[in-house]
């Protein structure tokens, strides 16, 4: 467990707020009680009085934030003035994660981004083919937990779609492994050759870019709560505005990229597959879009 403290430095005429990383603590018991005891002992070793604590903040794990058994409650029992606030950055990350999980197309999209990265990262030879075709950022693996960092995964493809597609085609033509060759060809022709994916790349890059900016601000050691609230409200305003005008603008940007890549600028019509219905099913459930 890592421990970081913020404190007021009044040793000089210029009073300022400092933040210090004190180190990593060995933890064997991850319950709220176990974590609190480790924290309490560390403060004693540092000759810091727990009664002087005026604020505490953790991630959203139940053992940390729990109202009854969490670390924050156990610290409040000892010191009622240790005001608790959840980590704003982690809450934002969870919000974005939950938002994306409700959308099947979002899950499919990031699966494609990961497949593109994996295709090149499987060997140094394929990675070299990639580097020979691009001049900027290389694709990144999709983070399973830090959603705002996925902007780095999308950015490389957003800014170099045509070059990455060419690299995939070269892998499909030169790789001796039939599975790898087929996967690379499919990604180049079916995924990066689809207008819908190009639109998704544009939209997700803009969304993640805006979220990442706010996330970085929230993690700044000199961040103030009123500024943090202002940044989050600004992000909400961005989302509301994007609903009204962002999609149409993304379509125009995607159209330009598609024309540069010599692919179509229309959405492929989805074929409806009719599956056999059971006697107790609603007729409306019989159609499945593919």
């Amino acid at each position: 467990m890592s421990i970081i403290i913020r404190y007021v430095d009044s040793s000089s005429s210029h009073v300022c707020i400092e933040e210090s990383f004190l180190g990593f603590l060995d933890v064997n018991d991850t319950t709220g009680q176990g974590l609190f005891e480790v924290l309490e002992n560390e403060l004693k070793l540092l000759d810091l009085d727990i009664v002087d604590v005026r604020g505490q903040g953790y991630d959203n794990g139940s053992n940390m934030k729990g109202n009854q058994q969490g670390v924050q409650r156990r610290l409040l029992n000892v010191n009622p003035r240790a005001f608790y606030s959840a980590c704003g950055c982690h809450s934002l990350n969870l919000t974005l994660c939950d938002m994306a999980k409700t959308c099947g197309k979002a899950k499919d999209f990031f699966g494609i981004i990961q497949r593109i990265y994996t295709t090149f990262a499987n060997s140094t030879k394929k990675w070299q083919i990639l580097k020979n075709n691009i001049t900027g950022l290389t694709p990144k693996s999709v983070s399973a937990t830090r959603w705002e960092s996925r902007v780095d995964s999308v950015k490389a493809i957003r800014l170099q779609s045509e070059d990455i597609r060419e690299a995939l085609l070269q892998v499909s033509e030169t790789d001796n492994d039939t599975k790898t060759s087929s996967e690379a060809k499919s990604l180049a022709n079916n995924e990066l050759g689809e207008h819908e994916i190009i639109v998704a790349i544009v939209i997700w890059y803009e969304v993640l870019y805006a979220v990442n900016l706010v996330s970085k601000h929230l993690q700044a050691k000199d961040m103030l709560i009123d500024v943090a609230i202002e940044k989050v409200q600004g992000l909400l305003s961005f989302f509301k505005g994007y609903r009204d005008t962002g999609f149409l603008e993304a379509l125009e940007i995607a159209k330009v990229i598609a024309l540069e890549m010599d692919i179509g600028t229309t959405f492929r019509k989805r074929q409806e597959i009719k599956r056999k219905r059971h006697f107790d099913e609603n007729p409306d459930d019989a159609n499945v879009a593919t």
Side-chain angles (χ1 to χ4, degrees), residues 235-274:
L235 183 61
L236 293 175
S237 297
F238 164 79
F239 278 122
K240 291 176 182 177
Y242 203 86
R243 282 200 189 110
D244 297 331
T245 61
F247 181 69
L248 294 177
E249 292 174 359
L251 284 179
E252 291 301 315
I253 296 172
K255 184 177 180 180
V256 173
I257 297 173
L259 291 173
E260 291 175 352
M261 296 175 66
D262 195 26
I263 61 178
T265 57
T266 57
F267 291 103
R268 179 168 61 89
K269 186 177 180 180
R270 299 292 182 181
Q271 179 185 1
E272 283 192 350
I273 297 178
K274 292 185 180 294

Side-chain angles (χ1 to χ4, degrees), residues 5-287:
I5 64 169
R6 300 182 77 194
Y7 52 94
V8 178
D9 183 0
S10 57
S11 59
S12 63
S13 58
H14 178 64
V15 178
C16 59
I17 297 175
E18 299 287 350
E19 181 176 285
S20 297
F21 168 66
L22 301 184
F24 294 107
L25 310 178
D26 288 329
V27 174
N28 295 316
D29 181 359
T30 58
T31 64
Q33 179 65 35
L35 293 171
F36 173 70
E37 290 175 355
V38 171
L39 174 63
E40 186 178 33
N41 291 334
E42 184 66 16
L43 292 177
K44 288 179 180 177
L45 290 174
L46 295 169
D47 198 24
L48 295 173
D49 192 344
I50 198 170
V51 176
D52 291 335
V53 176
R54 291 295 176 269
Q56 51 174 326
Y58 318 108
D59 62 23
N60 287 274
S62 60
N63 55 352
M64 301 301 290
K65 73 168 187 177
N67 291 327
Q68 302 299 325
Q69 304 295 329
V71 173
Q72 66 106 351
R73 169 48 54 193
R74 296 182 185 282
L75 181 49
L76 283 171
N77 290 339
V78 176
N79 177 7
R81 293 186 177 185
F83 179 76
Y84 167 73
S85 61
C87 173
C89 181
H90 191 246
S91 297
L92 176 61
N93 186 71
L94 289 177
T95 302
L96 186 63
C97 182
D98 289 344
M99 177 184 75
K101 281 182 178 179
T102 62
C103 177
K105 288 185 180 295
K107 291 188 285 188
D108 293 342
F109 171 75
F110 285 106
I112 292 169
I113 299 298
Q114 182 63 29
R115 284 167 57 200
I116 291 173
Y117 167 79
T118 303
T119 297
F120 293 115
N122 273 342
S123 74
T124 54
K125 181 181 178 181
K126 290 192 284 287
W127 194 258
Q128 188 59 49
I129 291 175
L130 171 68
K131 292 177 69 175
N132 291 341
N133 281 275
I134 62 175
T135 56
L137 299 168
T138 56
K140 303 289 190 298
S141 180
V142 174
S143 173
T145 53
R146 296 182 61 245
W147 265 79
E148 82 284 352
S149 70
R150 292 191 178 198
V151 66
D152 295 326
S153 305
V154 178
K155 184 177 182 179
I157 300 173
R158 162 66 180 86
L159 302 180
Q160 304 167 117
S161 300
E162 188 173 7
D163 296 332
I164 289 177
R165 187 184 183 209
E166 177 59 31
L168 286 168
L169 289 171
Q170 288 183 22
V171 169
S172 71
E173 294 168 358
T174 59
D175 201 276
N176 294 325
D177 181 66
T178 55
K179 182 179 178 181
T180 300
S181 176
S182 176
E183 171 74 345
K185 187 175 182 179
S186 175
L187 286 168
N189 294 332
N190 298 331
E191 277 74 19
L192 287 183
E194 280 285 338
H195 182 58
E196 182 177 331
I197 296 300
I198 302 301
V199 173
I201 289 172
V202 172
I203 291 174
W204 272 108
Y205 175 67
E206 292 179 353
V207 167
L208 290 171
Y209 181 81
V211 172
N212 192 51
L213 278 180
V214 175
S215 180
K216 295 299 183 187
H217 281 297
L218 293 177
Q219 295 177 68
K221 67 179 183 179
D222 57 350
M223 174 56 62
L224 302 174
I225 191 167
D226 56 334
V227 178
I229 293 172
E230 181 183 330
K231 295 293 182 183
V232 173
Q233 289 177 338
L235 183 61
L236 293 175
S237 297
F238 164 79
F239 278 122
K240 291 176 182 177
Y242 203 86
R243 282 200 189 110
D244 297 331
T245 61
F247 181 69
L248 294 177
E249 292 174 359
L251 284 179
E252 291 301 315
I253 296 172
K255 184 177 180 180
V256 173
I257 297 173
L259 291 173
E260 291 175 352
M261 296 175 66
D262 195 26
I263 61 178
T265 57
T266 57
F267 291 103
R268 179 168 61 89
K269 186 177 180 180
R270 299 292 182 181
Q271 179 185 1
E272 283 192 350
I273 297 178
K274 292 185 180 294
R275 64 176 179 83
K276 183 178 179 180
R277 275 191 294 123
H278 297 287
F279 71 92
D280 58 343
E281 282 187 314
N282 189 315
D284 294 335
D285 297 334
N287 296 331

